[in-house]
Amino acid sequence: MGWMDEIKAEFVKTFIRDDRYKVFLTGFENTILITLVSIVVGLIFGIVIAMLRYGYVQVKKRKPVTAVKKAGYVLYFIIDKILALYVAVVRGVPLVVQLLIMAFVIMAGFPNKIVVCCIAMGLNSAAYVSEVVRGGINSVDAGQMEAGRSLGVGAFDTILYIILPQAFKSALPALCNEGIAVLKETSIVGYIAVVDLTRASDLVRSRTMAPMMPLFFIAAVYFACVMILSFGVSFLERRLKQGDRG
Amino acid sequence: MIEVKGLKKEFNGLKVLNGINYTINQGEKIVVIGPSGSGKSTFLRCLNLLEEPTGGEIWFDGTNITDPQNDINKMRQKMGMVFQHFNLFPHMTVLDNITFAPVRLKMQTKAEAKENALRLLRRIGLEDKADEYPNRLSGGQKQRIAIVRALAMNPEVMLFDEPTSALDPEMVGEVLDLIRELADEGMTMVIVTHEMGFAREVGTKILFVDEGLIKEENTPEEFFSHPRNERLREFLSKVL
């Protein structure tokens, strides 16, 4: 039997026999689903966290005078510290551990494990996104804030319409990296028995005892997904460059 | 119109303004000059509270704007500001730069704001740049658009913070011409500048700020021909 035949036999064993391709298909669907939802959750919460924390930096500059403003100031101070702690904890604890805590402690008994994955990974990503966006915000010239405010536009609107679009543009490469990281990190959801691409390969491998084909296959799928994601982002980057010189 | 009483400003213990008293009346064109680090820009930026004073009061149209109860945004809508570095919004077209604030603040509808912006652009001869992004424009064009952006709010006062200092020499003229036009139309303005000829020509009053205080205040004629303050004489001998 030649090596071609060996590969063919392994292919049949891995994908065709017992309809094993369906396991990979389910895994692929779940990987994509968890990735997309986590990225969206991460972006939304991450941007909100970044805005809140940047807003606090702005508020901090004014000394509060009235009692109501003082109370609001203290409240905002506490919120900012909680958010800072949140970011520190998320960055300081392995994602697998966070996922396990979410699945077996915080959301213990919750029937849909895919939702648990999305929440755990989305909230994890939010912490990283918030730091990336904060960096982007800080890279925007201070004169932009002053220009918006000098026209009488409020701090919130100025951040939303003037600062964030520019921050987003400079943060885009780092955000792309974060998206790629989320996609690859979904490979740990097998820990709580969700069948993603990696888990699918495990299941098949344990039946066929032929490790090479399933592992090389999912490696190629992950790689292809990352390439598609980066192409999408570089397209977006070119679109956003229209305000630049040249 | 604007009354400044005992204005003080400190940055982390560094005293920049040490009790400035001054009253600006409707239609006046106040030109502020002084050596760098004298506090002249800080003084201007305090007028619309871009810098928060650490002492004293500023009254604008009969209200104390340094009172924390006062609505800062309402006040700023009536005070246009032009910056040394233009600070146009690079992610917006020229037209959007001008219409952003009036539309956002619901002072004008989108259509009204656009019409108004185009009228202003026509006036400065840049109507064809309406859909360009700021980075495609020259410094002089950017600054004139920044001025127009402030004008779109129909301000009562215009504050100019060294409006020509970041420009190539050949572009200074076009910006000064526009400011001069506004002055001729009766706009009240406060201008921080190093352009002495322009100060003399446009100003109704010239202030010399040094060490955080107004050291001399006079009509342009007297100010430049008969300076009394020792520091001012020294300053003028260097720049004229």
Side-chain angles (χ1 to χ4, degrees):
Chain A
M1 204 157 70
W3 60 273
M4 283 282 279
D5 292 325
E6 262 178 56
I7 288 182
K8 197 180 160 194
E10 212 170 292
F11 182 86
V12 170
K13 213 161 51 169
T14 303
F15 296 108
I16 314 285
R17 198 170 298 157
D18 298 339
D19 281 348
R20 288 196 178 120
Y21 70 91
K22 283 184 179 164
V23 182
F24 284 104
L25 214 56
T26 311
F28 180 69
E29 279 169 11
N30 285 341
T31 291
I32 296 299
L33 180 70
I34 295 168
T35 302
L36 291 182
V37 176
S38 300
I39 287 177
V40 170
V41 170
L43 273 179
I44 293 172
F45 281 87
I47 290 173
V48 169
I49 293 171
M51 275 184 78
L52 281 172
R53 299 202 62 198
Y54 179 67
Y56 176 70
V57 173
Q58 297 297 312
V59 168
K60 204 165 60 172
K61 288 181 191 158
R62 313 197 144 269
K63 46 182 193 300
V65 183
T66 58
V68 178
K69 280 191 176 165
K70 253 179 200 152
Y73 184 86
V74 171
L75 185 69
Y76 207 167
F77 172 82
I78 294 170
I79 290 174
D80 183 67
K81 287 295 162 273
I82 290 174
L83 292 175
L85 182 68
Y86 170 74
V87 171
V89 167
V90 164
R91 290 206 292 191
V93 176
L95 177 58
V96 186
V97 179
Q98 292 175 34
L99 181 70
L100 292 173
I101 290 174
M102 189 60 84
F104 299 123
V105 181
I106 299 174
M107 294 180 74
F110 192 84
N112 191 335
K113 290 296 180 204
I114 291 180
V115 173
V116 175
C117 290
C118 292
I119 291 174
M121 299 205 55
L123 292 183
N124 176 276
S125 180
Y128 289 96
V129 169
S130 80
E131 287 298 289
V132 167
V133 173
R134 231 156 59 96
I137 286 174
N138 288 334
S139 77
V140 177
D141 182 53
Q144 293 291 308
M145 188 72 185
E146 289 183 351
R149 297 305 309 276
S150 78
L151 289 164
V153 179
F156 182 82
D157 276 358
T158 307
I159 293 175
L160 192 61
Y161 295 100
I162 306 297
I163 308 295
L164 265 188
Q166 297 180 56
F168 191 71
K169 196 165 90 175
S170 62
L172 204 56
L175 284 176
C176 174
N177 281 343
E178 177 54 23
I180 289 170
V182 170
L183 170 65
K184 292 190 296 188
E185 280 170 348
T186 57
S187 58
I188 62 162
V189 299
Y191 263 95
I192 61 167
V194 170
V195 179
D196 73 318
L197 209 47
T198 305
R199 182 72 170 169
S201 82
D202 277 350
L203 292 174
V204 170
R205 191 164 47 89
S206 67
R207 302 301 290 271
T208 62
M209 299 300 169
M212 195 185 76
M213 184 74 69
L215 286 174
F216 278 13
F217 172 69
I218 63 163
V221 174
Y222 280 119
F223 183 74
C225 291
V226 169
M227 291 320 273
I228 291 170
L229 196 60
S230 0
F231 278 130
V233 173
S234 62
F235 175 74
L236 191 63
E237 236 171 300
R238 277 198 301 277
R239 284 287 303 274
L240 288 173
K241 279 235 171 80
Q242 57 189 347
D244 294 346
R245 190 186 291 274
Chain B
M1 186 173 213
I2 302 178
E3 205 181 344
V4 180
K5 296 176 184 169
L7 178 63
K8 286 185 183 161
K9 175 69 184 174
E10 272 184 36
F11 291 105
N12 302 321
L14 178 72
K15 288 180 180 165
V16 180
L17 299 180
N18 298 309
I20 287 192
N21 295 294
Y22 198 72
T23 302
I24 300 160
N25 295 311
Q26 175 105 38
E28 277 190 308
K29 296 100 184 57
I30 309 297
V31 180
V32 184
I33 66 171
S36 65
S38 60
K40 55 191 189 309
S41 272
T42 305
F43 166 61
L44 189 77
R45 289 161 59 82
C46 278
L47 292 181
N48 69 351
L49 300 185
L50 276 185
E51 302 294 350
E52 202 175 8
T54 37
E57 289 178 358
I58 299 168
W59 290 70
F60 176 53
D61 282 349
T63 45
N64 178 5
I65 60 172
T66 40
D67 180 348
Q69 306 283 355
N70 180 61
D71 184 347
I72 290 184
N73 293 334
K74 277 264 142 38
M75 169 274 288
R76 284 181 177 150
Q77 287 166 25
K78 293 186 240 165
M79 272 199 220
M81 174 116 183
V82 175
F83 300 88
Q84 181 178 353
H85 296 288
F86 331 132
N87 296 348
L88 291 177
F89 307 132
H91 61 302
M92 293 183 180
T93 62
V94 166
L95 190 67
D96 290 340
N97 262 278
I98 301 170
T99 59
F100 169 70
V103 172
R104 195 75 235 140
L105 299 167
K106 302 201 164 56
M107 298 167 74
Q108 296 165 13
T109 66
K110 252 200 159 92
E112 284 168 356
K114 185 178 175 184
E115 195 179 320
N116 192 33
L118 288 176
R119 183 180 56 78
L120 288 164
L121 283 174
R122 204 170 306 137
R123 170 188 174 157
I124 59 171
L126 293 177
E127 200 186 359
D128 56 325
K129 303 289 186 196
D131 294 321
E132 287 279 12
Y133 285 88
N135 285 343
R136 301 229 175 209
L137 306 174
S138 73
Q141 290 172 333
K142 281 188 210 175
Q143 191 61 300
R144 286 187 290 146
I145 285 162
I147 293 171
V148 160
R149 177 175 70 178
L151 285 178
M153 300 289 292
N154 296 318
E156 294 173 18
V157 191
M158 288 283 282
L159 311 176
F160 294 90
D161 189 4
E162 303 197 23
T164 58
S165 297
L167 293 176
D168 290 341
E170 75 265 31
M171 292 170 182
V172 171
E174 60 189 78
V175 171
L176 293 184
D177 285 345
L178 177 58
I179 300 175
R180 191 178 295 120
E181 266 180 56
L182 295 178
D184 291 343
E185 286 164 19
M187 175 68 77
T188 310
M189 43 178 82
V190 184
I191 309 167
V192 172
T193 186
H194 295 292
E195 300 284 336
M196 295 303 153
F198 178 73
R200 184 175 200 148
E201 179 196 347
V202 169
T204 53
K205 280 276 170 61
I206 317 287
L207 309 185
F208 177 64
V209 172
D210 187 37
E211 294 167 333
L213 289 168
I214 297 176
K215 290 286 176 69
E216 181 144 346
E217 178 234 326
N218 221 326
T219 58
E221 267 313 301
E222 282 295 302
F223 186 92
F224 287 106
S225 357
H226 307 289
R228 284 163 300 185
N229 181 285
E230 185 56 40
R231 291 273 295 157
L232 172 59
R233 260 180 283 184
E234 196 185 314
F235 178 74
L236 288 178
S237 73
K238 278 183 201 154
V239 296
L240 286 183

